[in-house]
Amino acid sequence: MNVASTDWNAWVPIALALPLVSFVVSFWMGPRYGWLVPLMATALLLAGWVCTTVILVDHSAGTSHFAVPWFSLGTDVIPIGWWLSPRSVTMLWVVYTISLLVHVYSIGYMAGEGGIARYFAWLGFFTFAMGGLVVSSNLLVTFCCWELVGLSSYRLIGHWHQQPAAGAAATKAFLVNRLGDIGLLVALMLLWSRAGTLDMPALTAMALSEETKTAVGLCVLLALAGKSAQFPLLHWLPDAMAGPTPVSALIHAATMVAAGVYLFVQLHFLFSADALAVAAVVGLLTLFVGGWGALTQFDVKKILAYSTISQLGLMVAGVALASPEAGFAHLFTHAFFKAGLFLGAGALIHAVSRHGHAPQQDIRHMGGLWQSHRLVLVCFAVCAASLAGMPLTSGFLSKEGLLLHVRHHSFYFGVMATASFVTTLYSARMVFYLLSPTPQAAATHPVPAIMQLPLFVLSVGSLFIGLSASPLSIQSWWPVFDAIESAPWVMVVSLAVLVVGVGVAWRLYRHRPTATLHARWVPQTWLDAAQKHIAVTPALQASRLTHHADRRWLDGVLHAASYGYVTCSFVIGWVDRVLIDGWVTTVTHAAKGGGKLFRSLVNGKIQSYLAWGMLALLSFMVWMLYQLAHR
Amino acid sequence: MIATHHIFILSALLLSVGVFMLLTKRNAILILMGLELILNAANLNLIAFNQRYADALAGEAMAVFVIVLAVCEAAVGVAIILQAYRHYATAVPDQISELKDPA
């Protein structure tokens, strides 16, 4: 297999290295020049963003592949390199753009917080890991980056590690993701055994059997369910709100959860029709669970988290049912408006929270900010409109693209239209609460300009110009959609859904009901209970059982073995001591005794010598007489 | 005329007493005296045997030689004992036990 491919592009390694440099330097500078870290990290990210922009301009059409051998196993060579396609360079650019804006925003948001160096270091590392995942041409490298993305999200969700909730949320996110990662690992093993390569360009050219594609597809689906919070692995995402708000923006828009959908888009060719059908069902389920969850919450960040879940479900269903490009277009627009929503929510939370208190995140207590925070609210509303799919926004166009693709399947079309309705409903609900003149929020702080700037950029990106030159057609900037003929009735349906959605929301939420739903209506409750019953309790029981088995059986065997061993040793020791040593000591004692006896004759006393001489003489004479007598 | 075997018995007794003294006396002078007794027991034997062969005076002559020898021996022995006494400040052989290993 020829792994070398020499479309060298120096911008790619530079773009990937800059956030990594930021990671290292932030840790290095942190202790002494903490104040410099945000500026340095942002500057490095800006340089990285410039690189990705250059790459984007260079590769707007056509692909390029660069690979060098990384290591070899026997005769198999694992390459490392990048595979640039219009899709991957776009994603890379989105990742860096969102990350840059989050960096800029964090300068203001995290000012005065502890652990700034650590925070910016892991932001950089997060960006690096996601960038590597996006451009990598080899699935093994992709997997490594996938894990690094999980690690960075763990570190960032748990950034405020003094809060037990943050630590628990980080652990939960990490463990649930691990469950999904098993799927990716198994998928890689399957591909390695069936296709013999993990190189994506090589895999695209390969014809795999349907069974293999079903198996690989289902495994990848498990992986993306963990990473992209698909049903049933979605309950970690609302908990992950314990992290700083800019981190949530980054996780939801560009790096963490986008990774799953992006991988689905990239590996769409490895899915069989069966696997795609399963993915569609999972996506649609997620869509409704997320939408329902968003309607039950009053915590603004949790609403956004559930809305992300529902949008991710929409993307997965879209990739499975419509086309990878349609799903990817929605991923693209979602990145902007969701990052904008989170940064806006962060700004509002910053505005109403009192220093030294728990942040105020309840939309029932965040009203009355229109006079003081007009720009933030307008930007937030624009992003929410994009989420709801209002005309003139990018969300409208990407949703249009998805609906156009499924318009011939009346069932799926109906489901997606209903989902749009739910999305409109919760978006409108959130905006109604936040725009209301009352209740006046307790204390309002100004939002610094450095936090308003990224918000403004993102809300502009959420308008139609973020995706297309025309406010009504997605086709101009995304050539892949040119093949789809537009159908005006689809647009009419989606506008009707929008109007109905806003109308229903107005009817339901005009008076801002404050009653909290019972916990049993919140999806989180059932999913946590399911997690407890399906995973945690059996795991605890299994561990208790293994503990018992360990104590009882394993230790028993060990004890028996050790007792036997000790007994044998005693027997051997006895034989050694008594029989073998005994014989030896007997000989030595005999020799010693004999020596002593004969030595005692030589006692230095003349008389005893004489006595012995006499005795000898006497014996000799007795013997002589005896001889004479018996002659 | 005393019967020869009576003399033999006396000689044997004398020898026994001599040997007894030789082995048991603590003082070197007495040991030397025991030695004298043994020599005289031998002299008695010589004389007794000469009774049986009276034509030759070989036995008496030998006895005279022995007496002379005994005198010499006593002289030399006493001299040795004196020297030993000077050297060790004792005439008890038990306390002079240098004829063995130091250990």
Side-chain angles (χ1 to χ4, degrees), chain A residues 187-444:
Chain A
L188 291 196
M189 292 172 187
L190 276 170
L191 281 176
W192 183 255
S193 64
R194 295 298 160 86
T197 177
L198 295 175
D199 213 24
M200 273 201 272
L203 281 171
T204 49
M206 208 168 274
L208 294 167
S209 71
E210 278 298 301
E211 294 80 49
T212 311
K213 285 170 89 171
T214 305
V216 171
L218 290 179
C219 290
V220 174
L221 182 63
L222 176 63
L224 85 94
K227 197 64 108 195
S228 287
Q230 297 296 299
F231 187 84
L233 301 180
L234 54 83
H235 52 298
W236 64 269
L237 196 55
D239 281 10
M241 293 299 108
T245 309
V247 169
S248 302
L250 194 59
I251 286 178
H252 286 246
T255 48
M256 178 82 178
V257 296
V261 177
Y262 178 77
L263 193 75
F264 189 23
V265 171
Q266 285 285 76
L267 298 182
H268 182 263
F269 63 89
L270 285 176
F271 280 65
S272 67
D274 295 340
L276 285 179
V278 176
V281 171
V282 167
L284 291 176
L285 261 175
T286 312
L287 179 53
F288 280 101
V289 173
W292 173 249
L295 284 174
T296 61
Q297 296 292 324
F298 282 106
D299 182 325
V300 64
K301 287 183 74 180
K302 293 227 165 149
I303 295 174
L304 292 176
Y306 278 110
S307 101
T308 303
I309 291 171
S310 81
Q311 294 302 302
L312 290 166
L314 182 65
M315 286 174 217
V316 168
V319 173
L321 294 171
S323 79
E325 292 305 330
F328 182 66
H330 196 59
L331 180 65
F332 179 84
T333 59
H334 176 262
F336 283 91
F337 64 71
K338 188 48 62 69
L341 282 171
F342 267 111
L343 296 191
L348 294 176
I349 293 167
H350 176 82
V352 299
S353 293
R354 276 181 298 168
H355 193 70
H357 287 71
Q360 176 61 266
Q361 303 184 173
D362 193 324
I363 53 173
R364 288 169 296 189
H365 302 113
M366 292 170 81
L369 294 170
W370 176 250
Q371 293 301 323
S372 49
H373 297 86
R374 202 163 292 174
L375 179 66
V376 174
L377 279 173
V378 166
C379 292
F380 189 85
V382 167
C383 294
S386 190
L387 170 65
M390 296 270 266
L392 300 183
T393 62
S394 59
F396 173 75
L397 295 173
S398 58
K399 216 165 269 182
E400 187 78 8
L402 286 171
L403 288 172
L404 272 174
H405 275 88
V406 296
R407 70 182 188 281
H408 297 307
H409 307 278
S410 52
F411 171 70
Y412 293 135
F413 187 82
V415 170
M416 281 204 185
T418 316
S420 299
F421 167 74
V422 177
T423 309
T424 311
L425 201 59
Y426 67 68
S427 311
R429 172 178 177 261
M430 182 168 64
V431 172
F432 285 171
Y433 274 95
L434 290 176
L435 284 182
S436 73
T438 53
Q440 194 74 31
T444 56

